Amino acid sequence: MGVSGFIKGFKLLHRTKPRIRLHPYGYIQRRYFLDTKILNSSDSLLPVLIVGAGPVGLVLSVLLTKFGIKCTVLEKNKGFSKHPQAHFINNRTMEVFRKLDGLAEEIQRSQPPVDLWGKFIYCTSLTGSILGSVDHMHPQDFEKIVSPVSVAHFSQYKLTRLLVKLLENLGFGIHTLEGPDSLDHEPLRGGEILMGYECVSIDTTDECVTATVSFSKEGKLLMRKIQSKILIGADGAGSMVRKLVGIDLKGEKDLQKLVSVHFWSKDLGRYLLNERPGMLFFIFNTEVIGVIVAHDLTQGEFVLQIPFYPPQQNLEDFSPEICKKLILKLVGQELSDIDVIDIKPWVMHAEVAERFACGNNQIMLCGDAAHRFPPAGGFGMNTGIQDAHNLAWKIASLLNGVAPTSILATYETERKPIAVFNTALSVQNFRAAMAVPATLGLDPTVANSVHQVINKGFGSILPSSMQKAILDGIFSIGRSQLSEFILNENNPLGSSRLAKLRHIFEEGKSLQLQFPAEDLGFRYLEGALVPDSDDVVPAPELPTGRRRDYVPCADPGSRLPHMKAKVLSNFPSEETISTLDLVSENKVEFLLIIAPMEESYNLAQAAFKVAEEYKVSTKVCILWPADSVTRVQPESKAKLAPWKNYIDVIEVKRSLDSSSWWSTCQMTEQGAILVRPDEHIAWRSKSRVVGDLYSKMKIVFSTVLGFESMNS
């Protein structure tokens, strides 16, 4: 299915009057909760209620809090998950984390050294023959040329722990139902994370959203109503918020079913550290096929992903003892310290929500609630966190009275195309991963077809035990293709397959980890921005599935390019920073970047006047060329008086022949760039702005903030 095939039209499901509550095994039961008690509280109207305390919900709560917006977070589970889950943090997400009170630095200090996780290794067992390996880390990835920070390998539950600690430092409290800090009767003021609360119904009026939440205490099911101006569904792939408001998902369902086994083995960690360090190990042998994810070799923490074929297989076939035996078959030698922590089935989907918002944009979907990707390429959590980054400043602008409600409509306008593209890219990367077993004679599509025949064809009339025996027998025959007799250079068939496999790895046609062009180079084509007057909207770009390098770009909607700069004013010492650091991390503030030229100073004066009228904070950055450092501070001070919110910086080139800032942006130094609070470019002029500068900047700010759409 192509990019355009993921989303076709919009359809809102009919909402029923009875409350809806999700029960185990995906069964949705409708009832009127006659056996429950609804508690009344004196809650004031919360600005924002976030449903879901995963990384996306927690990051959004951090950003909103830093922007001065109070919020409360609900989590249906009584504790935070300790299953590793996502683990690859891409460049753009790490840039977001740089602005969250040192979070990026803490991750970099805590993660394993990069030489322990940069490779994907394909082998017959962890101690057996290596079929091939791919190193996904290039030297330039860590030279900080295109970004001030590098990618990271850090388990999701560890990230959650750091985010909770960060929120506690911001004044949040973690409230459980069993402890003395329970808030089941107390009014909510914002700054709370409520554990064990599930959203079971949502009602909206023009003034607010009312969420009814359920929780169990002392054996009783209780209800509570919470009112907020905005409700965010960040409650994961099975989002209850999405179901309650009747938003459908579109795309490919059930790409693959797997069982995820979280286990520890320091002995295995030590062996791999010394012999073959890597992140992912794809293991193919005659007894079992699986992927082992090394979350931390130094600590010996792993996750096994193994194909799962229900109903012929069930979770009883993956007991801790059976999983230990499977792990040993994948390792290829005895281990005495395997400790299986958690076993959970999951289904891989590739779907995007038909809409990201409803109820006059009072209810928004964020993260996996809005899009479900295959894990190939690590786009799931990263895309979700970037959703939150896009949404936070818009919510703050609305609630602070800076922008109208139409600003929230730009969230879906901007983020949904990115989700559609990343879904297609993830599917393409997943297909690339399947090319390896297919080359070895194990085409996964054949396995899935056989399973379908047993489920829905003639096999469905057979007893379940016979179905299971047939399935196991067919898979065993398939795995025989991996025997040493066949898979060796002296066997013509095996030699041909191994040669094809080497070609796949050398050509970059296997599963990829990094996509710099998509990671840093994604661009919003419409939304809270002003396109270039001569901008021709490009046709939707199709993902290639291959790694492509990022090329800096200053087109409206793009992320501001990174370049090192030295601060020349407003600081007691000259400090070297990234251009991304010029954007405030603690308030909703726009940034206008200009060169030290008379016309540009005049433009900045006009921007200050318009920003004051719109009550939106704006800072001006005067970016001086690398060979000019004289008379900087007094000249800017005089040119911009009486305005004081400005900063003088000088570009720092990597080498004498490096491009200047304006050349990197493919602009003249007479141009200007207006940057949004999320570090994306709202507007730019490639050359000198002519005409009435005040009127020009008024059009720019009104368009970006959404006032222009109200008048059109």
Side-chain angles (χ1 to χ4, degrees):
M1 181 180 293
V3 175
S4 61
F6 277 100
I7 300 297
K8 291 184 178 179
F10 297 91
K11 182 175 67 176
L12 181 64
L13 297 180
H14 175 66
R15 286 187 59 196
T16 56
K17 292 181 180 179
R19 304 297 185 227
I20 300 175
R21 185 168 189 271
L22 188 64
H23 287 259
Y25 310 109
Y27 174 69
I28 298 179
Q29 178 182 0
R30 294 172 174 83
R31 60 178 184 162
Y32 284 93
F33 295 128
L34 297 177
D35 56 340
T36 64
K37 180 180 179 182
I38 297 182
L39 302 176
N40 293 318
S41 65
S42 57
D43 289 350
S44 57
L45 186 64
L46 284 171
V48 181
L49 178 65
I50 300 171
V51 180
V56 173
L58 295 177
V59 166
L60 181 57
S61 62
V62 172
L63 291 168
L64 288 173
T65 302
K66 291 172 77 68
F67 288 156
I69 303 300
K70 291 186 177 182
C71 58
T72 292
V73 184
L74 301 182
E75 171 56 47
K76 69 178 181 180
N77 296 305
K78 294 183 178 180
F80 296 103
S81 173
K82 294 183 179 178
H83 199 89
Q85 296 173 286
H87 55 94
F88 180 68
I89 306 176
N90 68 20
N91 255 139
R92 186 65 188 126
T93 298
M94 286 295 282
E95 288 178 351
V96 174
F97 288 171
R98 285 181 76 245
K99 300 292 186 75
L100 301 187
D101 299 343
L103 179 60
E105 290 80 0
E106 181 65 27
I107 289 170
Q108 290 177 319
R109 284 193 299 268
S110 304
Q111 71 173 347
V114 67
D115 56 353
L116 301 183
W117 53 266
K119 291 183 179 180
F120 290 176
I121 296 175
Y122 301 79
C123 53
T124 58
S125 73
L126 293 183
T127 57
S129 301
I130 292 181
L131 302 172
S133 67
V134 179
D135 191 343
H136 293 280
M137 298 297 125
H138 296 185
Q140 66 264 31
D141 296 335
F142 300 93
E143 293 174 357
K144 300 183 179 180
I145 296 172
V146 298
S147 176
V149 67
S150 304
V151 299
H153 174 46
F154 196 66
S155 299
Q156 181 173 318
Y157 78 94
K158 296 178 181 178
L159 173 61
T160 298
R161 190 184 301 158
L162 293 182
L163 287 168
V164 169
K165 180 181 176 182
L166 198 162
L167 283 166
E168 288 176 327
N169 291 339
L170 291 172
F172 272 68
I174 315 300
H175 303 277
T176 61
L177 291 166
E178 307 302 328
D181 53 356
S182 172
L183 291 181
D184 50 301
H185 289 82
E186 299 297 320
L188 301 177
R189 309 295 186 193
E192 306 95 355
I193 301 178
L194 306 181
M195 307 299 295
Y197 290 75
E198 182 176 10
C199 181
V200 295
S201 77
I202 299 172
D203 295 293
T204 62
T205 66
D206 290 340
E207 291 75 33
C208 71
V209 181
T210 301
T212 302
V213 300
S214 70
F215 57 98
S216 298
K217 189 164 186 180
E218 298 176 353
K220 295 181 180 179
L221 180 64
L222 303 175
M223 296 286 164
R224 176 175 183 167
K225 293 183 180 295
I226 302 175
Q227 293 185 321
S228 61
K229 294 179 181 177
I230 296 172
L231 184 146
I232 307 296
D235 49 340
S239 171
M240 192 60 182
V241 171
R242 186 184 66 236
K243 293 171 183 175
L244 288 171
V245 299
I247 295 178
D248 259 354
L249 292 165
K250 292 294 182 182
E252 295 186 64
K253 294 181 182 292
D254 298 345
L255 287 173
Q256 191 175 26
K257 294 181 175 68
L258 300 107
V259 169
S260 178
V261 183
H262 180 203
F263 71 96
W264 294 78
S265 173
K266 288 194 173 181
D267 288 348
L268 179 58
R270 278 192 292 268
Y271 169 79
L272 292 174
L273 276 172
N274 294 325
E275 300 297 329
R276 51 180 72 168
M279 177 193 284
L280 264 61
F281 297 84
F282 299 83
I283 305 162
F284 307 93
N285 63 49
T286 57
E287 294 188 276
V288 65
I289 296 170
V291 180
I292 290 181
V293 184
H295 280 264
D296 194 327
L297 291 178
T298 56
Q299 296 180 2
E301 184 176 20
F302 301 90
V303 169
L304 164 63
Q305 304 285 5
I306 192 163
F308 180 41
Y309 295 93
Q312 291 76 26
Q313 293 178 339
N314 55 54
L315 276 183
E316 293 175 1
D317 297 319
F318 296 92
S319 67
E321 284 305 313
I322 292 175
C323 287
K324 285 183 182 179
K325 292 178 182 178
L326 292 172
I327 292 167
L328 290 176
K329 290 176 181 178
L330 291 165
V331 172
Q333 70 177 29
E334 287 296 319
L335 292 171
S336 60
D337 68 338
I338 296 176
D339 184 12
V340 175
I341 304 299
D342 189 22
I343 303 165
K344 60 187 344 179
W346 64 283
V347 183
M348 186 187 300
H349 303 286
E351 299 176 297
V352 177
E354 288 184 324
R355 294 182 297 151
F356 283 20
C358 67
N360 196 28
N361 296 312
Q362 295 166 290
I363 302 169
M364 322 285 284
L365 300 180
C366 209
D368 286 356
H371 40 72
R372 311 195 294 192
F373 304 156
F379 281 99
M381 182 181 72
N382 289 295
T383 303
I385 287 169
Q386 291 154 30
D387 288 344
H389 194 226
N390 179 284
L391 184 56
W393 75 270
K394 296 174 180 178
I395 291 176
S397 296
L398 172 65
L399 296 183
N400 286 333
V402 171
T405 55
S406 58
I407 189 73
L408 294 186
T410 66
Y411 166 65
E412 178 181 314
T413 301
E414 294 179 351
R415 291 304 299 170
K416 186 177 174 183
I418 303 301
V420 170
F421 183 91
N422 287 350
T423 303
L425 181 56
S426 297
V427 170
Q428 196 169 46
N429 205 24
F430 168 69
R431 306 288 188 211
M434 296 300 100
V436 172
T439 301
L440 295 173
L442 298 166
D443 191 337
T445 59
V446 174
N448 290 333
S449 298
V450 168
H451 188 225
Q452 287 295 317
V453 169
I454 294 175
N455 281 341
K456 299 178 181 179
F458 74 91
S460 61
I461 64 175
L462 299 174
S464 58
S465 58
M466 189 174 294
Q467 291 182 32
K468 179 176 172 55
I470 292 173
L471 189 70
D472 289 345
I474 292 174
F475 286 172
S476 178
I477 293 171
R479 290 194 302 270
S480 67
Q481 302 290 315
L482 303 171
S483 68
E484 293 183 4
F485 173 74
I486 295 177
L487 206 58
N488 69 80
E489 295 291 354
N490 296 322
N491 183 305
L493 178 59
S495 177
S496 173
R497 288 175 174 174
L498 291 172
K500 290 179 181 177
L501 201 60
R502 286 192 294 271
H503 178 74
I504 286 173
F505 296 143
E506 290 167 0
E507 294 295 315
K509 294 181 179 179
S510 61
L511 178 70
Q512 297 298 299
L513 177 63
Q514 289 213 74
F515 294 88
E518 291 77 12
D519 175 3
L520 296 174
F522 67 87
R523 177 190 173 196
Y524 305 134
L525 297 179
E526 56 180 329
L529 54 90
V530 182
D532 287 341
S533 57
D534 60 348
D535 196 11
V536 177
V537 177
E541 186 178 6
L542 297 177
T544 66
R546 308 281 187 90
R547 174 181 171 134
R548 296 183 300 146
D549 288 334
Y550 161 74
V551 178
C553 173
D555 291 340
S558 301
R559 158 228 184 235
L560 181 71
H562 155 73
M563 177 181 277
K564 287 184 178 180
K566 186 173 291 185
V567 177
L568 297 178
S569 63
N570 299 340
F571 282 88
S573 60
E574 294 185 352
E575 177 188 10
T576 299
I577 61 173
S578 165
T579 46
L580 295 170
D581 296 327
L582 296 167
V583 180
S584 175
E585 62 184 67
N586 293 316
K587 60 181 176 179
V588 177
E589 182 176 74
F590 285 79
L591 174 74
L592 181 66
I593 302 177
I594 62 171
M597 306 184 71
E598 187 69 28
E599 298 88 345
S600 298
Y601 281 121
N602 293 336
L603 181 71
Q605 286 271 5
F608 275 133
K609 291 176 184 177
V610 172
E612 184 179 57
E613 291 178 13
Y614 280 112
K615 298 182 173 59
V616 57
S617 179
T618 300
K619 178 169 65 178
V620 170
C621 167
I622 306 93
L623 201 151
W624 294 72
D627 56 355
S628 173
V629 294
T630 60
R631 297 184 298 108
V632 172
Q633 187 168 345
E635 182 170 336
S636 294
K637 184 176 182 180
K639 296 288 186 182
L640 293 176
W643 313 103
K644 297 180 180 179
N645 192 19
Y646 69 90
I647 183 171
D648 283 294
V649 302
I650 184 169
E651 59 186 25
V652 176
K653 289 188 175 182
R654 290 184 291 109
S655 62
L656 292 176
D657 58 349
S658 297
S659 297
S660 69
W661 166 257
W662 299 106
S663 295
T664 298
C665 295
Q666 300 176 41
M667 298 167 57
T668 72
E669 63 179 4
Q670 295 176 313
I673 300 173
L674 183 67
V675 188
R676 308 186 324 188
D678 63 353
E679 298 166 0
H680 280 256
I681 294 170
W683 165 83
R684 61 94 178 262
S685 178
K686 296 179 183 178
S687 57
R688 184 170 69 90
V689 179
V690 297
D692 186 339
L693 301 182
Y694 170 82
S695 297
K696 177 65 176 179
M697 295 313 299
K698 189 157 188 175
I699 292 172
V700 168
F701 275 98
S702 66
T703 302
V704 173
L705 294 173
F707 291 105
E708 191 73 18
S709 63
M710 295 175 64
N711 299 326
S712 60

